[in-house]
Amino acid sequence: MNQRPIMLGIVGDSAAGKTTLTRGIAQILGEDSVTVICTDDYHRYDRKQRAEIGITALHPDCNHLDIMQQHLTLLRTGQPILKPIYNHTTGAFDPPEYIKPSKFVIMEGLLGYATRGVRESYDVKVYLAPPESLRAQWKIKRDTMKRGYTEEQVRAELEKREPDSEEFIRPQRKAADVVVTFYPPDEKDASNLNVRLVLRPTIPHPNFTEILDRGSPSFKPAIRLGLDRDMGKPVDVLEVDSHATSAQVNELEKILCNEMPHLRGFCSMEGNPEIGKLVGTTGEVLQSYPLALTQLLIAYHMIKATQVY
């Protein structure tokens, strides 16, 4: 390996969309060039033990944060790890897996920014912050369809976890370079989602200023750039509506690719048909421009980081 791996952190509460976001980023970067690790694998207790102790998986004491930090340090320097595996289907641990880092490493999960040492391991840090009502819908859908829970069990678990979500998960937002919020423009339809991207000045973002010149006072454009404050700090905010046209999306894509010409070969959505895909409320596969552009922006930052290291 000529350079160390580029490290991306994706943090958010349970069912915030981390896996969906990660899948598209890996598609853009090339799946053979990406190692994906889930922080759930670093749980200290299995499902039965957590129930007996009365602790949730969101609590730092329920996770081997020290081992996770050690493994991140090893991966960052190109060294392999013996990674534990938590099985969400059985609620128990499977045999560990030998992992060698690829060109890019994505660490996604609940407590990826819980300690200073872990936070300092990443080149790019993303936090997912969907509205809680939407996240609850996603969690109910996922856990009933894929993990064998009833809706009542999932709702009870959400209520049980809420104090730990508030104390340990949401404060990690302040560590992120990019805060991603998908939200429905219409409360009755959670399939077509807008996205609001908080772009903190902790990393250099693409030059989107030409977007400011579009539209008119009487027409709200589908893609907007503005200034705001997040957690008391000034930030840029990029918004993409679900009704944005392919032409509008292509313009934004060109900004990403033109700033770094060597990206053009694999930055295009036309060349990566799997990006921006998500499963709708009735199980159908949908193509989301806001999701695709979010995945492209994060991949852009990953690729840009390779120029530094």
Side-chain angles (χ1 to χ4, degrees):
M1 199 177 284
N2 296 325
Q3 60 181 29
R4 69 163 180 79
I6 300 301
M7 313 289 288
L8 167 65
I10 299 180
V11 169
D13 211 332
S14 179
K18 300 181 294 292
T19 301
T20 299
L21 185 65
T22 297
R23 188 182 304 119
I25 295 169
Q27 179 74 18
I28 297 166
L29 297 175
E31 293 177 336
D32 292 341
S33 299
V34 178
T35 299
V36 179
I37 294 173
C38 179
T39 63
D40 290 355
D41 290 328
Y42 294 91
H43 288 340
R44 186 184 298 269
Y45 308 113
D46 63 25
R47 186 179 297 156
K48 182 180 178 181
Q49 291 172 321
R50 294 198 301 271
E52 293 172 347
I53 297 170
I55 192 172
T56 80
L58 282 62
H59 199 292
D61 291 346
C62 188
N63 294 270
H64 290 292
L65 298 181
D66 54 344
I67 298 176
M68 183 172 73
Q69 180 173 324
Q70 180 190 54
H71 282 186
L72 271 171
T73 300
L74 290 170
L75 292 168
R76 184 179 172 88
T77 56
Q79 300 179 64
I81 61 171
L82 191 63
K83 183 183 70 64
I85 297 179
Y86 177 76
N87 188 319
H88 280 282
T89 302
T90 64
F93 294 99
D94 290 341
E97 180 182 10
Y98 182 78
I99 297 289
K100 295 177 67 176
S102 304
K103 181 178 181 180
F104 302 100
V105 174
I106 302 177
M107 176 76 82
E108 58 105 339
L110 298 167
L111 293 165
Y113 308 148
T115 68
R116 180 178 178 180
V118 169
R119 291 192 296 272
E120 291 178 347
S121 298
Y122 304 106
D123 298 287
V124 183
K125 298 187 291 293
V126 175
Y127 182 82
L128 283 168
E132 283 300 297
S133 59
L134 180 62
R135 185 178 71 85
Q137 290 181 43
W138 286 345
K139 185 167 177 63
I140 291 169
K141 177 184 173 183
R142 184 196 69 187
D143 289 2
T144 55
M145 293 179 65
K146 297 184 178 181
R147 298 186 180 178
Y149 292 94
T150 66
E151 181 173 336
E152 292 73 22
Q153 288 175 319
V154 181
R155 290 189 182 279
E157 187 69 11
L158 281 165
E159 184 176 352
K160 178 183 177 182
R161 289 180 168 206
E162 174 55 28
D164 284 350
S165 291
E166 181 66 23
E167 184 174 358
F168 302 116
I169 306 301
R170 293 174 198 143
Q172 294 178 95
R173 173 186 180 124
K174 64 185 177 184
D177 304 306
V178 180
V179 179
V180 179
T181 299
F182 291 103
Y183 64 95
D186 182 349
E187 293 183 1
K188 297 179 182 179
D189 184 5
S191 296
N192 297 313
L193 300 177
N194 298 351
V195 69
R196 185 177 191 269
L197 301 172
V198 172
L199 308 177
R200 294 212 176 103
T202 46
I203 57 175
H205 298 285
N207 181 12
F208 293 125
T209 53
E210 62 185 80
I211 297 173
L212 290 170
D213 299 327
R214 297 176 189 164
S216 66
S218 61
F219 173 72
K220 183 181 179 182
I223 299 175
R224 303 173 298 281
L225 182 68
L227 301 174
D228 205 343
R229 299 186 76 84
D230 185 73
M231 302 188 81
K233 301 291 185 180
V235 294
D236 291 331
V237 176
L238 178 65
E239 295 186 87
V240 182
D241 291 346
S242 60
H243 64 264
T245 66
S246 58
Q248 290 171 316
V249 170
N250 287 338
E251 284 189 59
L252 190 58
E253 181 184 295
K254 287 176 183 176
I255 294 175
L256 290 171
C257 296
N258 289 343
E259 191 167 319
M260 225 178 279
H262 70 277
L263 299 183
R264 292 173 186 164
F266 54 91
C267 167
S268 171
M269 281 185 287
E270 293 180 1
N272 293 274
E274 294 302 312
I275 71 170
K277 283 193 174 180
L278 70 160
V279 179
T281 53
T282 58
E284 74 279 22
V285 177
L286 304 172
Q287 184 82 30
S288 166
Y289 285 146
L291 173 59
L293 284 170
T294 301
Q295 292 165 334
L296 283 169
L297 174 63
I298 296 169
Y300 162 95
H301 280 299
M302 295 288 286
I303 298 160
K304 190 168 186 177
T306 65
Q307 298 181 331
V308 179
Y309 299 101

